[in-house]
């Protein structure tokens, strides 16, 4: 018996993406739980329980990355509403290097993820091909088994006929 309120994969995905996005942007997880709860018609407590009890432990690397992005964004200069001119001079060379390093890491991460996805797709294709080969073998095997069964039936019938003929010859009395 399954519960009617079990979490579906797309609901988990929404929760994960929302929490990580809120973390990157410096918003609270509680706010993320409230927003996800509203869109999924679940309580914020239930959403938080799902995140803390099940999902969070699987996303520790992404959580750390979200915190890192938050810190980079937090320490970057902001444009205030009265001064709409932001200058590159406002950003220190170290901060620019941090941002470049971060972007390079993201690019590298994206490349390795893409490579992993392509390898997984290739593995899936190989497995699908193997499954198709096995299906063909099974089908051919079933066909040859049917032929074998028919051959066995024919041989059995021949043996019965031969046995009847032999029995008839043995039962005939010689004419002397």
């Amino acid at each position: 018996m399954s519960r009617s309120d079990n979490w579906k994969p797309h609901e988990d995905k929404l929760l994960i993406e929302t929490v990580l996005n809120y973390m990157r942007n410096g918003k609270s997880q509680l706010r993320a739980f409230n927003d996800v709860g509203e869109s999924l018609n679940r309580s914020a407590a239930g959403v938080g329980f799902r995140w803390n009890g099940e999902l969070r432990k699987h996303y520790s690397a992404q959580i750390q990355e979200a915190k890192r992005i938050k810190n980079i964004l937090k320490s970057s200069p902001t444009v205030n509403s009265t001064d709409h001119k932001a200058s590159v001079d406002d950003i220190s060379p170290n901060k620019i290097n941090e941002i470049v390093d971060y972007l390079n890491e993201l690019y590298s991460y994206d490349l390795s993820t893409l490579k992993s996805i392509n390898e997984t797709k290739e593995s899936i294709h190989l497995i699908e091909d193997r499954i198709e080969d096995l299906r063909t073998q099974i089908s051919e095997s079933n066909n040859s088994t049917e032929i074998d069964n028919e051959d066995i039936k024919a041989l059995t019938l021949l043996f019965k006929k031969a046995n009847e003929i032999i029995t008839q010859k043995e039962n005939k009395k010689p004419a002397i």
Side-chain angles (χ1 to χ4, degrees), residues 23-175:
M23 291 174 84
R24 280 189 289 271
N25 292 308
K27 298 177 184 175
S28 75
Q29 289 182 37
L30 292 177
R31 189 168 166 193
F33 299 159
N34 283 327
D35 290 350
V36 170
E38 283 180 21
S39 69
L40 296 180
N41 199 25
R42 293 178 180 268
S43 70
V47 173
F49 184 77
R50 177 67 176 172
W51 173 255
N52 290 314
E54 184 61 34
L55 299 175
R56 185 177 65 181
K57 60 188 168 196
H58 300 292
Y59 292 90
S60 57
Q62 291 89 336
I63 291 169
Q64 291 306 315
E65 190 62 26
K67 289 178 180 178
R68 185 172 153 210
I69 292 170
K70 178 186 80 170
N71 290 334
I72 288 173
L73 293 175
K74 189 166 79 172
S75 64
S76 295
T78 58
V79 178
N80 96 30
S81 59
T82 58
D83 179 20
H84 295 291
K85 297 177 185 176
S87 165
V88 174
D89 296 335
D90 294 341
I91 303 173
S92 72
N94 287 340
K95 186 54 67 182
I96 292 173
N97 287 336
E98 270 185 54
I99 293 170
V100 168
D101 288 344
Y102 171 72
L103 292 173
N104 284 331
E105 284 179 36
L106 278 181
Y107 177 74
S108 174
Y109 176 76
D110 285 346
L111 286 179
S112 67
T113 302
L114 184 60
K115 181 180 176 187
S116 175
I117 289 170
N118 287 334
E119 289 171 353
T120 303
K121 284 181 180 178
E122 181 62 28
S123 294
I124 289 170
H125 289 303
L126 291 172
I127 290 169
E128 287 173 341
D129 290 345
R130 180 67 179 138
I131 288 171
E132 188 58 37
D133 289 344
L134 290 172
R135 283 186 177 140
T136 302
Q137 288 176 3
I138 289 170
S139 176
E140 290 171 357
S141 174
N142 285 342
N143 290 340
S144 69
T145 302
E146 289 172 12
I147 293 169
D148 290 343
N149 286 339
E150 289 179 20
D151 288 344
I152 290 170
K153 288 176 185 176
L155 284 173
T156 304
L157 185 61
L158 283 173
F159 282 127
K160 284 181 180 178
K161 283 287 189 188
N163 195 23
E164 287 174 11
I165 293 170
I166 292 171
T167 306
Q168 285 177 357
K169 284 188 178 180
E170 287 177 354
N171 290 337
K172 265 190 173 179
K173 294 183 181 179

